[in-house]
Amino acid sequence: MRCTGVPIMNLNPNPVLLLALSIVTISSGAEIYARKMEIVRIGGMQATVLRESVAISDRGTVICSRNAQLSPSRDWAVLWDSVRIKTSEVYVQADSVEYDFSQRRSMLYARPGRLITVYGESVEIRAPALEYSFVAGMIQAPAGLELRGRSGEFVVNGQRGCYFLKSRQGIVDSEPTLKIIPEQGTEVEITATKMDYNDVEGQFRATGNVRVRSGAGELVCDSAVFHPSGDSGVAWGSPKVKDSSGVAEGDTVVFYLKDRSLRQVAFHGRAKGQYRTNSGETVLVNGSQLSMELADGKIDVIEVANLISGQLIRHGAAERIGD
C-alpha cells in the first residue's frame, strides 16, 4: 500500500489515522484515490474508509463515488453514494457497488424505488440490482430487467436476463415482453418464453408461445424474428392471425410494419382464412398465399393468391366461390 497525505489528530477513542489526498495501491495493481482516508481499528482488525471524491482505477475501469470501504484483506471494496462506472463499453449509474479486485466482478445496487442505469452504445439496461463481470464483458440482472433502445424505438421487460457487451447481444429468459413503440399509430407488444436480441443486426428472436399483439389483432406462433427499426419480420410454427371478425393461418407468415406499427401479414404455404363481412356473411378461403392488411390491429382487407377453394356462408346456406 502507498499513502500520501498529512496526518490529522483525531480524539475518537478508537485509534484512527486520517490522511488527506490519499492513494492506495492494491496488490492486483488497482489504485484507489480519495481526498480523505481513515484507518480505523475495530475489534482487533483494521478497516480502511475513504471519503470525498473516491475513485478506483483498475485496468481500464474507473469506479467513482463519494465514499468507500476496503475489506481488511483489501481484496474487495464497497462504494456508495453517487456511484459511477466508466469503461470503454458503457457508463453506469448506481447507488452502491461491491467490487472484487481479483475477479474484476461487481454487484451493483439501487435504493428502493430506484434503478441502476447502464448506458451502452445503442441500448440502456435498467434493473434494481446487476452483476457486472468486467473480464467477460457481461451484465446479468437477477430480477426486474429493462432493456431499452437509446432512440426509444423499443423496450424489453423481463424477470431475468443478461447482456454481452462485446458482442452486443442480450437474452431475456424469464417472462420477456417487448414493446415496439411506433412513431404514430398502435403499439406492438410481443410476449414469449425467451427473447434474444442482437444489437449489431437490430434483430429480436422470440421463441416459445409467441404472441404479437397490435390493437384488436393478435399473431400467435412458436417462433418469430423481427427488426424493430426495420419494416418486416418472419414467424413460423403454426402461425395464426386473428381479430374479432376473422382468423388466418399457414405454414409461415411474413409481417410488415410501417412506422413500427403492424400493418400487413402474408401467409405462405397451405394458407387459409375465415372472416365475416360487414353484412354478417362468413367467407372461407384456401390458397397458396393469403395477405391481410390491418388497421389498428383489425383485419381490413384480405387477398388470396392462387385460390384453391372458397366458400361464402349466408345465414346457414353455403355457396362455393372458387375452385
Side-chain angles (χ1 to χ4, degrees):
M1 182 181 76
R2 175 165 56 91
C3 300
T4 62
V6 179
I8 298 176
M9 182 176 292
N10 191 302
L11 300 180
N12 191 301
N14 292 320
V16 175
L17 177 63
L18 182 61
L19 302 177
L21 300 175
S22 303
I23 304 174
V24 180
T25 302
I26 307 299
S27 59
S28 64
E31 289 190 331
I32 305 178
Y33 306 83
R35 292 185 62 188
K36 296 179 181 179
M37 184 182 75
E38 296 175 293
I39 300 176
V40 183
R41 187 177 298 278
I42 302 175
M45 300 185 67
Q46 288 186 344
T48 305
V49 179
L50 302 109
R51 304 187 188 282
E52 299 185 21
S53 303
V54 180
I56 293 178
S57 179
D58 189 7
R59 288 162 282 185
T61 298
V62 177
I63 307 175
C64 299
S65 68
R66 290 200 181 108
N67 302 288
Q69 179 175 326
L70 292 176
S71 66
S73 59
R74 294 194 176 125
D75 55 359
W76 60 268
V78 177
L79 299 92
W80 67 95
D81 286 348
S82 300
V83 175
R84 302 291 184 268
I85 300 176
K86 182 69 174 69
T87 71
S88 60
E89 298 159 331
V90 292
Y91 174 69
V92 185
Q93 294 178 328
D95 290 318
S96 63
V97 60
E98 297 177 5
Y99 182 65
D100 185 324
F101 290 97
S102 60
Q103 299 293 322
R104 295 194 63 213
R105 184 183 299 270
S106 65
M107 285 298 303
L108 298 100
Y109 304 96
R111 294 190 184 97
R114 299 179 57 166
L115 296 174
I116 302 160
T117 303
V118 180
Y119 299 93
E121 182 176 342
S122 57
V123 297
E124 292 181 9
I125 303 167
R126 299 175 184 173
L130 290 172
E131 181 179 351
Y132 184 179
S133 172
F134 298 93
V135 176
M138 181 176 66
I139 293 174
Q140 292 180 286
L145 172 66
E146 179 183 295
L147 181 68
R148 181 181 294 269
R150 290 290 297 271
S151 59
E153 71 275 20
F154 71 87
V155 59
V156 183
N157 292 284
Q159 289 304 308
R160 184 180 63 244
C162 61
Y163 187 82
F164 299 90
L165 296 170
K166 291 180 175 60
S167 60
R168 291 167 57 188
Q169 297 182 65
I171 301 171
V172 183
D173 57 5
S174 178
E175 301 180 29
T177 298
L178 167 65
K179 292 183 179 180
I180 301 176
I181 304 168
E183 297 175 359
Q184 58 182 4
T186 306
E187 180 180 88
V188 179
E189 180 182 276
I190 300 98
T191 59
T193 303
K194 179 184 176 184
M195 204 166 289
D196 298 81
Y197 176 56
N198 188 316
D199 189 18
V200 177
E201 299 178 0
Q203 175 183 282
F204 276 95
R205 181 186 180 100
T207 54
N209 194 27
V210 180
R211 295 181 179 274
V212 182
R213 300 180 182 90
S214 178
E218 182 180 50
L219 163 64
V220 296
C221 60
D222 294 330
S223 303
V225 173
F226 44 91
H227 304 263
S229 59
D231 60 359
S232 65
V234 180
W236 62 95
S238 305
K240 181 184 296 185
V241 170
K242 57 184 177 180
D243 70 355
S244 57
S245 61
V247 61
E249 56 188 283
D251 293 335
T252 60
V253 60
V254 178
F255 51 95
Y256 301 89
L257 292 86
K258 183 177 181 181
D259 298 326
R260 298 196 292 268
S261 184
L262 188 62
R263 296 298 177 87
Q264 186 180 21
V265 295
F267 288 89
H268 299 270
R270 295 180 295 180
K272 60 181 179 179
Q274 174 181 322
Y275 64 95
R276 290 194 302 272
T277 65
N278 292 333
S279 58
E281 300 163 332
T282 300
V283 177
L284 306 176
V285 291
N286 288 273
S288 61
Q289 180 175 318
L290 190 151
S291 299
M292 307 169 67
E293 294 184 11
L294 298 97
D296 294 326
K298 188 174 181 180
I299 301 172
D300 188 41
V301 177
I302 295 181
E303 295 181 353
V304 183
N306 300 322
L307 179 67
I308 297 173
S309 65
Q311 195 173 26
L312 175 65
I313 301 175
R314 292 193 179 98
H315 306 294
E319 177 183 340
R320 299 181 66 85
I321 59 175
D323 292 306

